[in-house]
Amino acid sequence: MAGPEEKHENASPRSLPTISDVARHAGVSPMTVSRVLSGGHHVSAAMQRKVENSVRALGYRRNESARSLRPGHRSGLVGVVVTNLTNPYYAEVLDGIGEILGEENRRVVFGTSHEDFEEEARLVADFVGRQAEGLIVVPSGGSAEHLLPEQRHGVPLVFASRRQEGVDVDAVLVDDVRGAEEVTRLLLDEGHRRIAFMGNALSVFTGQRRYEGFERAHLAKGVPVLPDLVRRGQQDVHAAGLTAHELLALPEPPTAIFSANNRNMIGVIKALYDVGRERGVDMFARVRLAGFDTFDLEELVPGDLSIVTHDARELGRTAAELLLSRLQGKRVDRPSRTIELPSSIRTRRRGEAPLAQA
Amino acid sequence: MAGPEEKHENASPRSLPTISDVARHAGVSPMTVSRVLSGGHHVSAAMQRKVENSVRALGYRRNESARSLRPGHRSGLVGVVVTNLTNPYYAEVLDGIGEILGEENRRVVFGTSHEDFEEEARLVADFVGRQAEGLIVVPSGGSAEHLLPEQRHGVPLVFASRRQEGVDVDAVLVDDVRGAEEVTRLLLDEGHRRIAFMGNALSVFTGQRRYEGFERAHLAKGVPVLPDLVRRGQQDVHAAGLTAHELLALPEPPTAIFSANNRNMIGVIKALYDVGRERGVDMFARVRLAGFDTFDLEELVPGDLSIVTHDARELGRTAAELLLSRLQGKRVDRPSRTIELPSSIRTRRRGEAPLAQA
DNA sequence: CTGTTAGCGCATTCAG
DNA sequence: CTGAATGCGCTAACAG
């Protein structure tokens, strides 16, 4: 594998300069360099300059790994695990997290679990091994076992968007149940009696909660939920599209579809568009849409659409702030808390679509 | 700030167990633990079990910082800087990067520069300090100064999507010039003579290149580019929307708009929609659209639309692969190379919009 | 103001 | 097969 040489060359031929290199170059002791680097207090101006010049000359950067080895030192690292970065919703959450952590000069090691519990566990373990001081996780569901050691060691953890049973930590959630219930009620009040549900598996927190809201609205109205119209586990736009096609091909297709997240909604819309073209009919007039999460170009949907909206970036920010307050020791040993961010419902009617009035 | 205690408590009350803790717990020497952790060769089965039990009991995780301090050891960390995570395009790129690096069990420290050169420089410096073995950067433009020290130290760097003058490194790009030229020619061939350009600042690589293509098509056709219709620097959907509104409010508005990236395109579409509603006319019939980058729900745009498409995820994957080949020493000291990914043009005509046939 | 000593957690080297 | 010594880069704590 390696070259013919005995001592297998490293990928980086030249290794990074150390504090000793700088010291040698400047003709001072490593300690003086260290002092200059950490603010330059109690160091003469002359030394300061010499050291600074050497630092520049060598392109020296303090080795954070070595630094964080010292007792009492912080790594400044936070581990973040999301389930699917391709969902603009989570990209927004991550951006919000980065915004707040960046202000404190902390960095993000980041990984995508792809809704895979094993991968999530691997990432969490790895991040802790890398001395991440805290974790923000969108749990994929399954269990909380992988988080128990971290808990015991006092590594602060915040759940974002979802929560996992079996471990008691801070969480930032959306009022899934209420949002789903209200928007479903809207459909029921409009007279819909065959409403499809497309969402995450029941093992996923939001999958459970949003379905619960969906169900509650039905119960309150005395309308049965139709099992045939409940579809779960579509992970991406493509899968959601296939499922929507199935629903639309039923002998008695739904008159409304509730998409419990962003990716499902996009898939449904694409399917309506496709089927409409195939059959030469306006499917958006036949199927009422409702769902969770905003998306680009909502206004172009040529039919009635109700969206349960909340601020994904704000959710990320809040999660980061919760974590920071623990990291700064403000809330150590205080009980965990869950923040439910408010959501609101936005409805756009068919008449507002651009071509309807053309 | 801190509590009343003398020794200010750390955020994590209990600190992470070390290899010595495990050794003590198992009644062996740290060295035996180390051996077990790194494969368990030359260790008796009995010891193995004891150590493994202790590891589990204590929830021990190897300290990667300490580990990567040892000579010859890799951190397994790669630093990634993107300009704007909120753009689904870059989210996709990042996901592609993560996919490839994850296969090699490497992790990503990640930051968003928000097109700010200073921030980009800070992130790069920080990542190198954290012992990132390599970097993937979407350069915000400005200069390459911040990258020269890394270069000297042999930290492999790959540019993604954009390139920066002044430093000679691998890059994965899109054939911006050709794509922009061809799609612009399409508009010119359709007879458009007032085509607006909305893109990045000229200081941004793609801003320069995509404008170049736009200009070339005009030159080839002998049609002048109208300076009034060239708008640059809109960073997000909102800003792009405002600019589009301005263009549409001109005494002689453009008959076509070329959006040089995803965020501009979305802003333009929203503006057309809004103006259409205000004026009660179908703006999508009056303004021909073209641009770079796919987006969700393209099919709902109720007018002619041409998109220069390329695979963002594949771009990310390729960047990661280039980096890996350097990290694995396969291409050390080989000249840098630039890969231009192919793009294709997809055109969707108005007649294909869902409501047009309703 | 400057330098020396020592040790953070780990694994390579060498002894046993 | 197991353990003791050593040093990676850095900085508190203590000289001088």
Side-chain angles (χ1 to χ4, degrees):
Chain A
M1 275 278 155
E5 265 73 44
E6 273 292 332
K7 47 168 192 148
H8 61 103
E9 273 293 301
N10 225 333
S12 331
R14 301 159 289 272
S15 62
L16 269 42
T18 75
I19 200 169
S20 307
D21 296 325
V22 178
R24 201 162 19 242
H25 185 277
V28 301
S29 82
M31 203 45 230
T32 301
V33 178
S34 176
R35 288 204 180 91
V36 172
L37 290 172
S38 48
H41 307 297
H42 309 281
V43 181
S44 71
M47 288 265 164
Q48 290 248 28
R49 259 193 312 283
K50 272 204 288 187
V51 170
E52 277 158 7
N53 285 336
S54 298
V55 165
R56 246 191 310 279
L58 298 179
Y60 169 76
R61 305 229 188 280
R62 203 152 51 171
N63 181 334
E64 278 302 321
S65 290
R67 215 156 164 248
S68 71
L69 205 55
R70 313 273 355 268
H73 188 81
R74 306 173 357 196
S75 70
L77 210 57
V78 168
V80 178
V81 182
V82 302
T83 52
N84 174 12
L85 190 59
T86 286
N87 184 339
Y89 177 83
Y90 289 117
E92 194 86 30
V93 171
L94 182 55
D95 209 41
I97 292 172
E99 180 187 333
I100 298 298
L101 295 180
E103 288 171 3
E104 301 267 326
N105 248 300
R106 292 169 185 275
R107 301 296 170 214
V108 171
V109 248
F110 140 85
T112 306
S113 68
H114 297 289
E115 302 281 2
D116 175 0
F117 173 74
E118 303 291 339
E119 180 64 10
E120 181 184 317
R122 265 191 298 278
L123 289 168
V124 165
D126 184 286
F127 293 166
V128 173
R130 288 178 191 283
Q131 308 308 102
E133 294 173 60
L135 299 168
I136 298 177
V137 175
V138 181
S140 62
S143 106
E145 271 175 64
H146 58 310
L147 300 170
L148 296 179
E150 302 20 23
Q151 272 299 94
R152 251 178 58 199
H153 301 318
V155 177
L157 169 64
V158 176
F159 283 139
S161 184
R162 305 176 181 175
R163 193 167 51 190
Q164 175 62 53
E165 302 297 313
V167 62
D168 177 47
V169 298
D170 294 334
V172 187
L173 306 175
V174 179
D175 52 354
D176 299 296
V177 183
R178 198 188 58 82
E181 180 174 358
E182 287 191 10
V183 80
T184 305
R185 183 167 55 227
L186 211 66
L187 303 184
L188 289 167
D189 285 348
E190 287 178 15
H192 292 280
R193 289 299 174 267
R194 301 184 53 79
I195 309 176
F197 174 94
M198 288 177 56
N200 287 323
L202 279 178
S203 60
V204 175
F205 187 74
T206 48
Q208 207 279 318
R209 298 230 299 176
R210 293 178 187 179
Y211 180 73
E212 185 181 328
F214 178 79
E215 198 172 34
R216 272 198 201 173
H218 279 78
L219 282 175
K221 205 75 179 173
V223 177
V225 172
L226 303 176
D228 261 16
L229 301 185
V230 174
R231 305 297 172 106
R232 299 190 172 101
Q234 308 73 229
Q235 302 273 14
D236 54 36
V237 169
H238 183 70
L242 294 180
T243 299
H245 271 279
E246 285 173 26
L247 287 171
L248 297 175
L250 287 176
E252 284 192 88
T255 65
I257 301 180
F258 172 73
S259 306
N261 60 44
N262 188 308
R263 298 292 84 187
N264 272 293
M265 179 62 97
I266 301 292
V268 167
I269 293 171
K270 283 176 179 273
L272 287 179
Y273 173 81
D274 288 342
V275 171
R277 281 186 49 78
E278 275 166 30
R279 302 195 194 160
V281 299
D282 178 8
M283 291 302 290
F284 291 96
R286 302 195 177 187
V287 181
R288 169 76 158 96
L289 297 178
F292 254 87
D293 309 338
T294 56
F295 53 91
D296 278 345
L297 303 184
E298 269 175 33
E299 47 268 82
L300 294 191
V301 174
D304 292 359
L305 174 71
S306 295
I307 298 284
V308 184
T309 318
H310 56 280
D311 189 333
R313 163 178 298 271
E314 179 61 20
L315 189 143
R317 282 201 210 99
T318 307
E321 281 161 357
L322 274 183
L323 186 67
L324 281 180
S325 72
R326 296 272 181 190
L327 287 177
Q328 290 161 180
K330 287 183 193 154
R331 296 180 46 81
V332 187
D333 294 329
R334 299 275 303 284
S336 72
R337 56 177 168 167
T338 291
I339 296 181
E340 284 215 359
L341 260 37
S343 64
S344 61
I345 294 179
R346 172 168 62 222
T347 296
R348 183 180 297 275
R349 298 287 172 185
R350 176 189 178 66
E352 300 169 23
L355 284 189
Q357 59 208 82
Chain B
M1 274 280 155
E5 266 72 47
E6 274 292 334
K7 48 164 193 149
H8 62 105
E9 272 294 299
N10 223 334
S12 329
R14 300 160 288 273
S15 62
L16 269 40
T18 75
I19 200 170
S20 308
D21 296 325
V22 179
R24 201 163 17 245
H25 185 276
V28 301
S29 82
M31 208 39 238
T32 301
V33 178
S34 176
R35 288 202 180 91
V36 172
L37 291 171
S38 48
H41 307 299
H42 310 281
V43 182
S44 69
M47 288 267 164
Q48 290 248 29
R49 257 194 314 283
K50 272 204 288 187
V51 170
E52 276 159 8
N53 286 336
S54 298
V55 164
R56 246 191 311 280
L58 298 180
Y60 169 77
R61 305 228 189 281
R62 208 152 49 168
N63 181 335
E64 278 302 321
S65 290
R67 212 149 171 259
S68 71
L69 205 56
R70 312 276 352 269
H73 188 81
R74 305 174 357 195
S75 69
L77 210 57
V78 168
V80 178
V81 183
V82 300
T83 52
N84 175 12
L85 190 60
T86 285
N87 184 340
Y89 176 83
Y90 289 116
E92 194 86 30
V93 170
L94 182 55
D95 209 41
I97 292 172
E99 180 187 331
I100 298 298
L101 295 180
E103 287 171 4
E104 300 268 326
N105 248 298
R106 293 170 184 274
R107 301 297 170 213
V108 171
V109 248
F110 140 86
T112 305
S113 67
H114 298 289
E115 302 280 2
D116 175 1
F117 173 75
E118 303 290 340
E119 180 65 9
E120 181 184 317
R122 264 190 298 277
L123 289 168
V124 165
D126 184 286
F127 293 166
V128 173
R130 290 180 189 283
Q131 308 308 102
E133 293 173 61
L135 299 169
I136 298 177
V137 175
V138 180
S140 62
S143 106
E145 273 176 63
H146 58 309
L147 301 170
L148 295 180
E150 311 9 48
Q151 273 298 94
R152 252 179 57 199
H153 301 318
V155 177
L157 168 64
V158 176
F159 284 139
S161 183
R162 305 175 181 177
R163 192 167 52 190
Q164 175 63 51
E165 300 297 313
V167 62
D168 177 45
V169 298
D170 293 335
V172 187
L173 307 176
V174 179
D175 53 352
D176 298 297
V177 181
R178 198 187 59 81
E181 180 174 359
E182 287 191 11
V183 80
T184 305
R185 182 167 56 227
L186 211 67
L187 303 183
L188 289 167
D189 285 349
E190 287 178 14
H192 291 280
R193 289 298 175 267
R194 302 184 53 78
I195 309 176
F197 175 93
M198 288 177 57
N200 287 324
L202 279 178
S203 60
V204 175
F205 188 74
T206 48
Q208 206 278 316
R209 299 230 299 177
R210 294 179 186 179
Y211 180 73
E212 185 181 327
F214 178 78
E215 199 172 32
R216 272 197 200 173
H218 279 77
L219 283 175
K221 206 71 179 178
V223 177
V225 171
L226 303 175
D228 262 17
L229 301 185
V230 175
R231 305 299 172 104
R232 298 189 172 101
Q234 308 73 230
Q235 302 272 17
D236 55 35
V237 169
H238 182 70
L242 294 180
T243 299
H245 271 280
E246 285 173 27
L247 287 171
L248 298 175
L250 288 176
E252 285 191 89
T255 65
I257 301 180
F258 172 73
S259 306
N261 60 45
N262 189 308
R263 298 293 84 188
N264 272 292
M265 178 62 96
I266 301 292
V268 167
I269 294 171
K270 284 177 179 271
L272 286 180
Y273 173 82
D274 288 342
V275 171
R277 282 187 48 78
E278 274 166 30
R279 302 195 194 160
V281 298
D282 177 8
M283 292 302 290
F284 290 95
R286 302 193 176 189
V287 182
R288 170 77 158 92
L289 296 178
F292 255 88
D293 309 338
T294 56
F295 53 91
D296 277 344
L297 302 185
E298 270 175 32
E299 48 268 84
L300 293 191
V301 174
D304 292 359
L305 174 71
S306 295
I307 297 283
V308 184
T309 318
H310 57 279
D311 190 333
R313 162 177 299 271
E314 179 61 20
L315 189 144
R317 282 201 212 99
T318 307
E321 280 160 358
L322 274 183
L323 186 67
L324 282 180
S325 72
R326 295 274 181 188
L327 287 176
Q328 290 161 182
K330 287 181 194 157
R331 297 181 44 81
V332 188
D333 295 329
R334 299 276 301 286
S336 71
R337 56 177 168 169
T338 292
I339 297 181
E340 284 214 358
L341 260 38
S343 63
S344 62
I345 294 180
R346 174 168 58 223
T347 295
R348 185 179 295 275
R349 299 286 172 188
R350 175 188 178 69
E352 300 169 25
L355 284 188
Q357 59 206 85

